[in-house]
Amino acid sequence: MAQEDIFKKLVAHCKEYGYVFQSSEVYDGLGAVYDYGQNGVELKNNIKKYWWDSMVLLHENVVGIDSAIFMHPTIWKASGHVDAFNDPLIDNKESKKRYRADVLIEDQRAKFEDKIEKEIKKAKKRFGDSFDEAQFRETNPRVQANQKKIEVLNERFTKALNDNDLEELKQIIVDYEIACPISGTKNWTDVRQFNLMFATEMGSTSDGAMKVYLRPETAQGIFVNYLNVQKTGRMKIPFGIAQIGKAFRNEIVARQFIFRMREFEQMEMQFFVRPGSELDWFDKWRETRIKWHRALGFGDDNYRFHEHEKLAHYANAAVDIEYRFPFGFKEVEGIHSRTDFDLSQHQEFSGKKIQYFDPELNKSYVPYVVETSIGVDRMFLQVMSAAYCEEEVEAANGKKDKRVVLKLPTVLAPTKLAVMPLVKKDGLPEKAREIINDLKFDFSCQYDEKDSIGKRYRRQDAVGTPFCVTVDHQSLEDNTVTIRYRDTMKQERVSIDQLRSLVGSQISFKDLFAKL
Ligand code: ATP
């Protein structure tokens, strides 16, 4: 099945099974804003727990905060967002659709990358085990030609971004004959800059309202609390401050479901270090973070690093972790070495000293910062993309059947255990409730009695519940149930007393943390 079709199905699945809904759907929706349903919120909470604990619990020198969304407007002046948090936009005159010029060019580059991937896939099939990918990349003329195209494009693109040269960005779009995906034409406007921050007013207008912004990143809430945390927590450098919270960006292009939203959530950690040691810490965090992703078991080949073409004004190193979504490799997380830019700016704009006295060096300095920044929603989409499976299975009557299953990592699944009475009588529902009442403080359980057992299994597969137990008449006699495993569909008879440890042993964050 084409990847685009899989993606469409995934989006429909998210809605059908209570994971993600379009915001304000009864009013025909609000662009690039989404709500999480009863299963979505559980998965999201589990993702956040995985991140939070891996940062704050596992690192004794990382602590968390929860800062307000509204902040003093000067913060955004100091951080550079008022003047420079822009995206280059371009309109197609025919379709009247608006695009990010840089994204159009990145999509063009992805086309060359796709061609290379296709060649490699073909060759892998042809040569089997003896295939040497590195050698093939170096010697195959078609791969080489596309690689050259990527390099030439990259060079122009990087220069245009670094020089802030909007005319050149447009010229690249013209030269590469990039067409509007809607109208198919190349009739473009000039490229313009567009600030992504949402503004609102605070206070009553008669008193003279103050223009405030909805934060476009959570990081600044950490920077302006650096001294508070360092002093009250008696933190010694190197140390980190982590935060999970909402961020808002007036994105020009609202595409790809929850990949690019106008209201989204970030999990950010700012790590404060001695000047000069930042690049070592940058390397360390880059490795720590890729391990965190890979520990979920979605396949190491599905991740890659992408070094930035253009470094943000505050950074001296930056890399993205990209995941292979159904629509291609895209950024999930950024790791940035932000130098002392933010703290120095806040020091200057606030007039307050924001420094660290280093007892070992016996001097004060503005710490350098390495940031890890990941979107909860993009992570959610990564998990769902990896988990969504359509499988051919054998039905009870021996015929071929299809099942849709969410192979979510068991620790992240919204419901761990579904308990099902075989029939709605003879004391079986009561026995099922008894099991749930005994286990509900250990993990999330769901009672399910409607429809045939087969249908109930399919329903639980589709929401990603890793374990189902069926209570039958024998259960009343010998206190045993049938447990059925989502991924293998294997069933076995176990004692009810075993359930806590059987399920509990497979849903523990501990095992995941052990891989980090
Ligand atoms: P992009 O280039 O895709 O716009 P970015 O480089 O601007 O992303 P950062 O500012 O580095 O993103 O933000 C850190 C993380 O926050 C991203 O890696 C991503 O996971 C998440 N993120 C950023 N913008 C959005 C958005 N509009 N919707 C959902 N998540 C987002």
Side-chain angles (χ1 to χ4, degrees):
M1 199 188 313
Q3 290 294 303
E4 280 147 44
D5 294 337
I6 291 183
F7 188 55
K8 271 192 202 141
K9 285 189 174 192
L10 176 64
V11 174
H13 193 86
C14 280
K15 180 178 172 192
E16 194 178 343
Y17 289 93
Y19 274 93
V20 183
F21 307 126
Q22 172 73 61
S23 157
S24 323
E25 196 185 336
V26 284
Y27 289 98
D28 298 331
L30 184 66
V33 186
Y34 291 89
D35 299 336
Y36 287 84
Q38 66 280 13
N39 287 316
V41 69
E42 298 292 346
L43 173 57
K44 210 174 168 203
N45 284 341
N46 290 339
I47 290 172
K48 288 194 261 186
K49 182 175 167 50
Y50 177 37
W51 184 86
W52 186 267
D53 286 358
S54 73
M55 283 291 174
V56 176
L57 206 66
L58 300 195
H59 295 98
E60 73 179 76
N61 57 349
V62 177
V63 293
I65 61 161
D66 181 18
S67 71
I69 288 172
F70 289 137
M71 291 195 277
H72 196 287
T74 309
I75 287 175
W76 304 111
K77 192 79 192 144
S79 67
H81 283 81
V82 171
D83 298 319
F85 193 52
N86 301 322
D87 273 345
L89 68 86
I90 188 165
D91 295 291
N92 182 265
K93 289 185 191 160
E94 248 78 43
S95 67
K96 308 271 181 260
K97 284 278 168 204
R98 181 158 286 179
Y99 297 90
R100 259 173 68 178
D102 55 333
V103 172
L104 283 178
I105 296 170
E106 280 169 7
D107 287 350
Q108 176 65 33
R109 183 178 58 198
K111 282 186 186 157
F112 297 139
E113 285 168 354
D114 279 352
K115 283 187 185 159
I116 294 179
E117 288 290 322
K118 274 193 191 130
E119 291 291 343
I120 289 173
K121 223 171 163 184
K122 252 191 347 206
K124 241 184 205 162
K125 226 177 176 179
R126 190 155 20 108
F127 296 116
D129 287 344
S130 61
F131 181 62
D132 179 342
E133 185 176 325
Q135 193 194 3
F136 184 77
R137 276 181 185 274
E138 268 172 37
T139 51
N140 181 278
R142 279 185 300 273
V143 170
Q144 288 280 299
N146 279 305
Q147 193 53 45
K148 183 80 200 152
K149 282 184 192 164
I150 292 173
E151 280 160 24
V152 171
L153 176 57
N154 266 351
E155 198 173 318
R156 267 184 87 179
F157 183 38
T158 309
K159 185 163 179 350
L161 287 176
N162 281 326
D163 297 350
N164 230 340
D165 187 344
L166 302 183
E167 275 176 32
E168 172 66 354
L169 281 180
K170 160 114 190 238
Q171 200 52 47
I172 295 175
I173 290 171
V174 172
D175 291 351
Y176 280 82
E177 300 187 345
I178 298 173
C180 165
I182 309 279
S183 69
T185 71
K186 296 158 202 153
N187 195 0
W188 298 106
T189 62
D190 286 340
V191 177
R192 282 162 297 150
Q193 291 288 22
F194 176 79
N195 192 287
L196 300 180
M197 279 201 295
F198 285 101
T200 187
E201 289 184 345
M202 184 176 265
S204 64
T205 6
S206 55
D207 289 340
M210 178 163 68
K211 184 176 179 184
V212 292
Y213 298 98
L214 298 188
R215 66 179 178 200
E217 61 175 29
T218 59
Q220 296 304 323
I222 294 179
F223 292 127
V224 297
N225 277 298
Y226 157 77
L227 270 188
N228 286 336
V229 175
Q230 193 271 318
K231 290 208 164 120
T232 57
R234 290 175 293 122
M235 307 301 292
K236 289 199 173 58
I237 268 178
F239 75 93
I241 304 178
Q243 164 156 248
I244 299 179
K246 287 276 176 134
F248 304 82
R249 295 182 189 179
N250 197 2
E251 296 281 0
I252 299 163
V253 199
R255 271 192 312 165
Q256 290 155 338
F257 191 40
I258 55 171
F259 180 81
R260 193 172 295 289
M261 301 156 88
R262 297 201 166 105
E263 173 180 340
F264 58 101
E265 215 167 348
Q266 288 186 314
M267 306 189 277
E268 296 198 297
M269 196 275 305
Q270 310 295 324
F271 199 70
F272 301 92
V273 303
R274 204 178 262 177
S277 68
E278 73 276 10
L279 293 180
D280 289 340
W281 283 107
F282 174 79
D283 288 342
K284 184 173 177 298
W285 279 109
R286 164 188 166 127
E287 286 318 306
T288 307
R289 294 306 303 149
I290 191 83
K291 257 194 194 164
W292 183 90
H293 286 273
R294 288 183 173 151
L296 288 171
F298 299 151
D300 290 1
D301 288 355
N302 290 323
Y303 298 93
R304 72 179 188 193
F305 285 114
H306 173 242
E307 316 283 339
H308 279 212
E309 286 89 32
K310 180 194 176 187
L311 287 178
H313 55 282
Y314 50 74
N316 68 359
V319 71
D320 294 337
I321 294 176
E322 295 187 337
Y323 177 73
R324 196 199 301 261
F325 286 99
F327 42 85
F329 272 105
K330 295 276 177 205
E331 170 182 347
V332 182
E333 171 157 7
I335 296 127
H336 311 123
S337 174
R338 290 180 81 127
T339 68
D340 60 351
F341 175 81
D342 300 89
L343 291 182
S344 297
Q345 287 290 102
H346 291 309
Q347 183 167 258
E348 188 186 327
F349 278 69
S350 69
K352 314 242 163 62
K353 202 167 151 193
I354 306 181
Q355 298 196 351
Y356 176 76
F357 176 73
D358 193 326
E360 281 171 37
L361 301 181
N362 198 25
K363 70 172 196 186
S364 293
Y365 52 77
V366 178
Y368 271 48
V369 173
V370 174
E371 158 185 87
T372 71
S373 173
I374 171 169
V376 179
D377 314 271
R378 281 193 195 173
M379 188 59 205
F380 185 107
L381 190 56
Q382 172 186 324
V383 172
M384 289 301 264
S385 310
Y388 183 86
C389 271
E390 291 182 8
E391 282 181 354
E392 220 168 64
V393 291
E394 209 168 293
N397 57 11
K399 286 196 179 149
K400 289 255 179 275
D401 197 3
K402 205 181 84 177
R403 74 161 181 161
V404 175
V405 52
L406 279 186
K407 293 190 173 172
L408 295 168
T410 48
V411 276
L412 300 184
T415 303
K416 310 299 186 210
L417 178 71
V419 184
M420 313 168 166
L422 185 63
V423 289
K424 277 189 262 181
K425 55 181 186 184
D426 304 336
L428 301 188
E430 289 76 9
K431 185 78 181 166
R433 294 261 182 226
E434 217 178 86
I435 297 175
I436 290 182
N437 282 335
D438 182 40
L439 296 176
K440 70 183 177 193
F441 300 109
D442 294 278
F443 39 78
S444 57
C445 303
Q446 199 180 73
Y447 177 78
D448 194 358
E449 65 170 22
K450 202 172 168 291
D451 301 319
S452 70
I453 284 290
K455 271 197 185 155
R456 281 183 259 174
Y457 283 157
R458 288 287 183 277
R459 195 158 56 225
Q460 295 297 339
D461 286 346
V463 292
T465 307
F467 307 98
C468 292
V469 304
T470 305
V471 176
D472 56 19
H473 293 90
Q474 192 186 329
S475 310
L476 302 179
E477 285 162 22
D478 64 4
N479 220 33
T480 62
V481 283
T482 306
I483 185 163
R484 185 239 190 209
Y485 302 97
R486 178 195 67 197
D487 297 350
T488 58
M489 296 194 293
K490 289 237 161 67
Q491 301 185 16
E492 59 179 336
R493 194 95 200 165
V494 297
S495 154
I496 290 174
D497 305 334
Q498 280 175 276
L499 286 177
R500 177 173 285 107
S501 69
L502 215 160
V503 175
S505 68
Q506 295 188 53
I507 56 163
S508 138
F509 275 98
K510 245 186 180 170
D511 298 334
L512 202 50
F513 292 147
K515 296 184 196 164
L516 301 181

